[in-house]
Amino acid sequence: MSGEPLVRIEALRKRFGAQEVLGGVDLTVDRGEVVCLLGPSGSGKSTLLRCVNQLEEPTDGRIFLDGELVGYRPRRGRLHRLSERRINRQRAAVGMVFQHFHLFPHRTVLDNLILAPRLVRRRSRERLRAEARELLDRVGLAAKADEYPARLSGGQQQRVAIARALAMRPTLMLFDEPTSALDPELVGEVLDVMRDLAQDGMTMLVVTHEMRFARTVADRVAVLDGGRIVESGTPDRVFGDPQHDRTRAFLRHLD
């Protein structure tokens, strides 16, 4: 991979009152790369994703997506916050899958998929419905298009959530512990969909406690502790020869 990374994060800080959750994070994600964020609870992983998707406004630092500054525009030597409309336009290029599914219970699976692109992209309902059915087939749920979320298992609902994010044709997918709310027997079906996305070349930034997924699918892993990246590298290097005491402690806790 060469040229400008798809995601570039520079000196990112986030405070909630007196509490600093992110303390100067630098990270890049190349096009087609899968980067897994690891670390103990409270280390800032989810907050980092939420800043990338502009669900949280950074306290300091900059985030670039495909070379464009996210959330701000420079003017006369200062950064000015974009309007909500322009932020939504930037956000449309980023798909995000949360721990919980956040599907609309009163809408069918198919309607959950077409709602956002219909409102944001202003595309025809007929074309969106055809594309939604293709996406449901991609995640193994073609037969569930007309079902309501309550009739699906947790794993199926999360796969619908992934398909819904893909319906916006994002250039980047963010996953915030997408299997943590699932029963153990349902985790594999969601991870299989994510593996397929990675094989298809989707750029992905993934917060996960699924170490096997991180070992086998990630191109790089980054370990956060106390709001900072304490170590990053290939999975083989970080898992096989961790250099930082905090990384070693975190990995020991998983054994």
Side-chain angles (χ1 to χ4, degrees), residues 211-222:
M211 294 301 108
R212 184 176 179 184
F213 177 88
R215 285 176 181 269
T216 59
V217 178
D219 298 293
R220 282 188 294 130
V221 296

Side-chain angles (χ1 to χ4, degrees), residues 11 13 28 31-32 35 39 77 90 104 139 155 185 191 202 211 234 246:
R13 294 181 180 273
T28 61
R31 289 169 175 80
V35 176
Q90 289 184 332
F104 294 106
V139 299
E185 66 270 19
L191 295 180
M202 174 61 72
M211 294 301 108
T234 65
R246 297 302 298 162

Side-chain angles (χ1 to χ4, degrees), residues 79-98:
L79 293 180
H80 296 266
R81 188 72 173 164
L82 296 177
S83 68
E84 193 63 25
R85 182 177 179 181
R86 292 190 63 186
I87 287 174
N88 285 336
R89 190 178 307 144
Q90 289 184 332
R91 189 182 286 134
V94 182
M96 188 160 183
V97 179
F98 301 87

Side-chain angles (χ1 to χ4, degrees), residues 16-30:
F16 295 100
Q19 181 183 12
E20 186 174 68
V21 179
L22 296 174
V25 171
D26 296 297
L27 181 69
T28 61
V29 184
D30 289 326

Side-chain angles (χ1 to χ4, degrees), residues 167-188:
M168 289 295 290
R169 299 180 175 180
T171 57
L172 170 69
M173 284 288 288
L174 307 177
F175 292 88
D176 187 7
E177 298 191 28
T179 61
S180 64
L182 300 179
D183 292 334
E185 66 270 19
L186 301 176
V187 169

Side-chain angles (χ1 to χ4, degrees), residues 131-231:
E131 291 180 2
R133 290 186 184 277
E134 292 174 3
L135 287 171
L136 289 174
D137 184 59
R138 185 175 181 182
V139 299
L141 293 173
K144 302 294 185 180
D146 298 320
E147 296 280 9
Y148 286 87
R151 295 179 59 87
L152 305 181
S153 70
Q156 289 171 333
Q157 290 187 59
Q158 192 62 295
R159 284 187 280 156
V160 171
I162 293 172
R164 182 179 59 179
L166 294 173
M168 289 295 290
R169 299 180 175 180
T171 57
L172 170 69
M173 284 288 288
L174 307 177
F175 292 88
D176 187 7
E177 298 191 28
T179 61
S180 64
L182 300 179
D183 292 334
E185 66 270 19
L186 301 176
V187 169
E189 63 189 58
V190 173
L191 295 180
D192 285 345
V193 170
M194 294 171 63
R195 287 188 184 92
D196 289 344
L197 289 178
Q199 291 173 359
D200 289 343
M202 174 61 72
T203 310
M204 297 162 58
L205 187 56
V206 183
V207 171
T208 185
H209 288 294
E210 299 291 340
M211 294 301 108
R212 184 176 179 184
F213 177 88
R215 285 176 181 269
T216 59
V217 178
D219 298 293
R220 282 188 294 130
V221 296
V223 181
L224 277 79
D225 187 78
R228 294 171 173 80
I229 294 178
V230 297
E231 187 157 3

